[in-house]
Amino acid sequence: MRILVPVDEDKGLDSPVSEEFGEAPYFAIVEAGGVKILSNSQVFTGRGHRWEEILRLEPNVVITKEIGKPAYYALRSRGVKILLAEGSTLREVLERAKKGELKEFPPEMAHEPRHRH
C-alpha cells in the first residue's frame, strides 16, 4: 500500500501534516520500505493538472486535512481512498490510520480550486 500525505517540513515521521493539499511544501510517500519526502516542485512539474501529477505517484490512500473538488473526484474515480487527517504529525496520522481511526474525507468538505491550473 502506498500512502500520500501533504506535510509542511521534511522531518520524516515527525513532519507536521499540512493544512494544504496542492499547495503543501512537501509530500510524504509511505510504503512498507519507509518514508520518502518529495518537495512540491518535485511533484508538480507543470505537466498537467495537479491531480494528474499526484496520480503519477500512484497512491492507494491520501490522508489530508483539505482537498479541492477536482482532485477529490479525480482521485476517488481512480480508486484512491481519501482519509481526513486527524493529528499534527505524519507519525500520528499514520498510527491513527493503522488503527482504523481515520474517517473517509467527506465530499462536502472538498472545496473549489484556489489556484491556477
Side-chain angles (χ1 to χ4, degrees):
M1 177 175 305
R2 187 171 216 177
I3 301 171
L4 179 89
V5 183
V7 294
D8 284 331
E9 297 177 52
D10 182 357
K11 292 185 172 182
L13 289 171
D14 295 320
S15 300
V17 176
S18 183
E19 297 290 330
E20 298 286 334
F21 182 67
E23 299 295 324
Y26 299 93
F27 290 87
I29 299 171
V30 183
E31 294 183 281
V35 177
K36 180 178 182 181
I37 307 271
L38 299 175
S39 70
N40 186 298
S41 61
Q42 288 175 294
V43 175
F44 300 122
T45 60
R47 296 187 190 121
H49 294 286
R50 288 176 173 241
W51 57 263
E52 290 173 315
E53 295 189 271
I54 289 289
L55 284 169
R56 287 188 198 118
L57 299 174
E58 301 178 342
N60 303 102
V61 176
V62 167
I63 302 174
T64 187
K65 292 185 178 186
E66 71 85 38
I67 191 167
K69 286 182 181 180
Y72 176 85
Y73 289 110
L75 293 169
R76 293 283 308 179
S77 72
R78 285 158 181 86
V80 177
K81 188 174 193 174
I82 304 173
L83 300 175
L84 182 59
E86 292 182 20
S88 59
T89 66
L90 180 59
R91 183 184 319 274
E92 288 174 20
V93 298
L94 292 174
E95 286 174 4
R96 293 193 78 179
K98 186 176 179 180
K99 293 177 185 176
E101 296 175 353
L102 297 183
K103 298 175 184 153
E104 291 271 345
F105 194 96
E108 61 273 10
M109 281 184 63
H111 60 78
E112 295 300 325
R114 295 190 290 235
H115 55 80
R116 298 184 258 57
H117 285 277

